[in-house]
Amino acid sequence: MISICGERLVPDASGALHVPAHSTLIVSDLHLEKGSSYARRGVALPPYDTRATLKMLARVLRKYQPAHVVSLGDSFHDPEGPERLTGADRDALIAMTSAHDWLWIAGNHEGLVDGHVLGGRAEEEADLGNLILRHEPQVAPATGEIAGHLHPCGVVRQRGRRLRRRCFATDGTRMVMPAFGAYTGGLNVLDEAFAPLFHGPFNALLMGDTQVYPMPGKRLVPDDMQPASARGQKPNSATQFLRRSVPARR
C-alpha cells in the first residue's frame, strides 16, 4: 500500500489500482479489440485479446468487490472497437458495467465511450478525493494525478539476468499506471517521455505474478544493452552491436 496526497492506494499485480477509502478500482489502457483493429489493417493477431482482458478484469473485480470502477482511457483500441465486440464479450462487459458504478475516462485512442451502449458514463477526467484521474499525464507538478497512456515498464538486472516488467511509476505525489490490456506493450520508465513527469527520485512498482515489487528508479536500467567493447571486453559478432528493445505501439 502506498499513499498519494493522503489517499491510500493498493497496486495490484494485475495492473489494477484499488482505492479502499472510496471503494474504487482503477484500470488503465484496456485497449479492447486491439487484435481486430490490427486484423483490419492486414496484421494477423489472434482475436482473443478482449476475452483475455475481460476475464482478468472480472477476477480483479471479484477480489476487491468495488462499488465504483474507473477505466482510465484507451479502453478500446479505436473508436469502432465497441462495434466489433463479439456477442459474448459484449454481454460480459455489460454485466460488469451494470454491477458497478462505472466511469469511462476518455482516451486518445477511442475518445468518449458511449455509455448508452455499454453502460456506465463517460467523462474527460474526474476527481476522487484528493486525486485527479485522467488519461494523459501532465507535465510536473501534477500533484494528485493518476494517469495512464504511457504504458510504463521497468527493467532491472539481477544475477546477470535482465528482467522487464510492467510497472506503476510514482514519486509519491502522482502515479502513472501500467496498461491492463492483454495485447498492450510497454515503454521503459527511463525513456525521455517520462522526464517531464518526475523531476526527482521515483519508484517503479514492478508487477510480479502475485504481487508488486517496489524498485527505486536509480536501480532501473534502460532497454539499451551495452556492447562488450563498452565494458572493456573484446567485441565479437554477437556483441558488437547495441541491442534495443523497441517499445510496442500504444
Side-chain angles (χ1 to χ4, degrees):
M1 182 175 292
I2 65 173
S3 178
I4 293 180
C5 295
E7 300 285 357
R8 295 190 303 161
L9 311 175
V10 181
D12 188 83
S14 65
L17 185 69
H18 187 221
V19 190
H22 300 282
S23 189
T24 297
L25 188 78
I26 306 172
V27 292
S28 187
D29 295 274
L30 303 177
H31 282 270
L32 300 174
E33 292 303 307
K34 181 173 183 176
S36 64
S37 179
Y38 272 62
R40 295 172 71 191
R41 289 178 279 162
V43 180
L45 286 178
Y48 308 122
D49 58 307
T50 293
R51 187 156 304 175
T53 300
L54 292 179
K55 284 183 176 180
M56 182 165 59
L57 181 54
R59 287 196 296 269
V60 180
L61 291 174
R62 288 194 297 269
K63 177 179 178 179
Y64 290 103
Q65 296 291 313
H68 314 280
V69 177
V70 179
S71 185
L72 207 58
D74 283 2
S75 301
F76 287 86
H77 195 66
D78 59 56
E80 292 76 36
E83 301 170 11
R84 298 195 304 274
L85 287 168
T86 66
D89 290 342
R90 182 183 301 274
D91 289 345
L93 181 55
I94 291 176
M96 295 182 204
T97 61
S98 300
H100 307 272
D101 174 36
W102 199 282
L103 176 61
W104 304 99
I105 296 294
N108 62 293
H109 272 256
E110 88 288 24
L112 289 170
V113 172
D114 189 349
H116 295 293
V117 175
L118 297 176
R121 66 190 192 282
E123 301 288 349
E124 293 288 343
E125 57 184 44
D127 294 325
L128 182 66
N130 298 324
L131 306 173
I132 181 166
L133 313 180
R134 59 169 63 103
H135 178 62
E136 296 193 39
Q138 305 298 301
V139 173
T143 305
E145 179 187 82
I146 308 295
H149 181 59
L150 292 177
H151 303 196
C153 285
V155 179
V156 293
R157 289 201 186 102
Q158 293 182 321
R159 299 185 179 93
R161 298 179 60 189
R162 178 177 176 275
L163 180 67
R164 194 178 201 271
R165 292 283 188 171
R166 301 185 194 189
C167 69
F168 300 82
T170 179
D171 62 358
T173 69
R174 67 186 307 177
M175 173 181 284
V176 182
M177 290 187 56
F180 193 88
Y183 278 7
T184 49
L187 183 66
N188 194 304
V189 292
L190 299 184
D191 186 271
E192 62 182 10
F194 289 91
L197 310 184
F198 303 120
H199 289 169
F202 70 94
N203 292 327
L205 308 176
L206 304 179
M207 293 163 52
D209 292 335
T210 60
Q211 66 185 82
V212 297
Y213 299 90
M215 189 66 61
K218 62 184 180 182
R219 287 196 55 190
L220 301 174
V221 298
D223 284 328
D224 288 346
M225 301 283 288
Q226 290 292 332
S229 57
R231 301 192 300 271
Q233 302 175 16
K234 183 178 179 180
N236 58 42
S237 60
T239 61
Q240 62 183 333
F241 300 107
L242 285 174
R243 294 168 55 197
R244 180 183 299 274
S245 294
V246 179
R249 290 187 59 181
R250 295 191 296 277

